[in-house]
Amino acid sequence: MTTKEEDRSSRNEVAATTKTEEITTLLDEPIFHPHTLTALVVLSALMFYAATRSNYENTADNIKLGILAAIACFVFIGMLQFPDGPFVRPSKPIWRAVLSLSVLYQLFLVFLLFLNKDDARYFMTFFDSSLGIELPERSYADACEVTWDNVMNGMDIFVVAHTVGWFGKALILRDYYFCWIISIAFELCEYSLEHQLNNFAECWWDHWILDVLICNWLGIYAGMKFCQYFSVKQYSWVGFRQIKTLRGKAKRAVQQFTPREWTRYEWKTTSTPKNYFGTVLLLIVFLQCELNCFYLKYLLWVPPEHPLNTYRLILLFLFALPGAREVYQYISDSKTQRMGAHAWLLIFNIMTETLICLKFSENEFHQAAPMVVKVGWSIVFAVLFVIFPLWRFVIHPVKKIEGEQIISKKDV
């Protein structure tokens, strides 16, 4: 190693040590202390107050209130006792609460899985009495002529939701290529499954222009610009007690809701078999999560505009932020031998949703998939899981040069 490289390495070590000391000082702030005994007293007092003040005569109201109290109590316990995730901002207890909600969502899915289809649809009426009614079929491929009226008829609130959704996906994956692969792959999935769901039947310009080139591109571009901003942003590690002015304290309080640091994901998909199969499976799970949204709406008779769909998407977004970070850590770091709790539960959530869709799909879809769809996806999976891995890692593997060092742009 040259003298210049040694100096650079020494400076990086000093910077890392200083950064660690600043983080330790920051975490010494009283606001970051667990306060478990205080929380126990507060929780007990709230439970006592709620138990003595909630003697409603209506049984349904008592049951709903009891379920909400049980959920709140579980989340509160999780905030105190669950393991920490990869994120610190805005506060570790908040991300523990997200993990608690992921556990609760999984338990709800397991309960739903053991109901039959009719009972599951009836159960949804407990959330909203207007549910439980079969949805009218809607197709977006009725008027495919490229006219101003047809294009305007395709513009609705879901266009905005589409763009916002891809903004969130860009924040989760933090990679242009991944986002574009999923964007195009999902449109192909819609083509492949439009014999089951009329909602997937769209005009060609709706698929590739309105969805991919406008909504998806805008959301991905804005999300990646957001990621780039935080990746080069200078972060403040000063604690509240070290700030003297009221304006400075207010600014520091706002910064608490921004990331403590930003990790740029470099998936290096074809570098090792672990990276390759890990990222391919991640993309498949991501696509399955997208498809579950449409199938759950159809099978449980939940209208697209119903708030329950929005709540599910918000929950999965919160689950996926730390989940994707833990998957990235597991794939890219050879020292990480165990997948994090957020990632494990997120995958379990999506798998259970898929099982519900498969179970409730019985006797729902009578038209078989076209032969071109079966052959096409068989070729795709053969290439992804057999042909390309054999060529890349067995027939023509890339030999690593001993002592090779990769220097990032920040080191230059």
Side-chain angles (χ1 to χ4, degrees), residues 2 97 175 209 211 256 265 285 321:
T2 63
D175 188 280
I209 297 179
D211 284 353
Q256 187 64 30
Y265 294 169
V285 169
L321 281 174

Side-chain angles (χ1 to χ4, degrees), residues 38-93:
T38 304
L40 177 62
V41 173
V42 172
L43 181 59
S44 299
L46 290 175
M47 294 290 289
F48 176 79
Y49 177 82
T52 56
R53 296 288 181 175
S54 59
N55 292 323
Y56 299 113
E57 294 183 359
N58 191 320
T59 303
D61 291 341
N62 283 329
I63 292 175
K64 291 180 180 179
L65 184 61
I67 292 175
L68 289 175
I71 292 173
C73 186
F74 183 84
V75 172
F76 195 86
I77 294 172
M79 291 174 66
L80 298 174
Q81 305 297 342
F82 274 24
D84 293 332
F87 296 156
V88 174
R89 297 281 185 88
S91 177
K92 286 185 178 181

Side-chain angles (χ1 to χ4, degrees), residues 9 17 72 86 95 130 146 152 160 165 205 220 260-261 268 270 275 325 348 375 384:
S9 176
T17 303
W95 293 109
S130 65
V146 184
M152 286 296 100
V160 178
W205 49 265
I220 293 171
R260 190 189 72 181
E261 57 185 352
K268 299 179 181 178
T270 58
N275 283 52
R325 178 65 178 84
F348 198 15
V375 174
L384 284 177

